[in-house]
Amino acid sequence: MEWKERIVSDKNVLLGKPIIKGTRISVEFILERLADGWSESKILESYPHLKKEDLQAVFVYLNEFVKDGLMVELRSRVS
């Protein structure tokens, strides 16, 4: 899966945040739904113009960033 076929960024749409091509749905928005406990099925039912491949592209996109070390380093907090 080539995420660049499904995820784009345009400075005139959502301030340049990565979005699903042809929508105004950001990668961030999808991740927020997943973090809130939404299933892939619920996302696809709620946003019928999204495809399963769009969600897969989000995962590939994130994996690439994690693999390349572009994510912020997590530091453990001592309580």
Side-chain angles (χ1 to χ4, degrees), residues 14-69:
L14 294 179
L15 303 172
K17 290 182 178 183
I19 60 169
I20 303 299
K21 189 175 185 177
T23 75
R24 294 182 62 84
I25 297 177
S26 68
V27 168
E28 176 185 12
F29 180 80
I30 291 172
L31 294 174
E32 287 172 348
R33 300 293 77 74
L34 292 167
D36 286 341
W38 286 37
S39 66
E40 289 183 38
S41 297
K42 184 173 180 179
I43 293 171
L44 295 172
E45 288 171 15
S46 299
Y47 302 94
H49 51 286
L50 290 179
K51 307 274 187 259
K52 184 171 179 69
E53 294 81 6
D54 296 325
L55 298 182
Q56 183 181 9
V58 169
F59 299 132
V60 172
Y61 173 80
L62 288 174
N63 183 59
E64 191 168 307
F65 278 87
V66 170
K67 181 173 57 180
D68 290 342

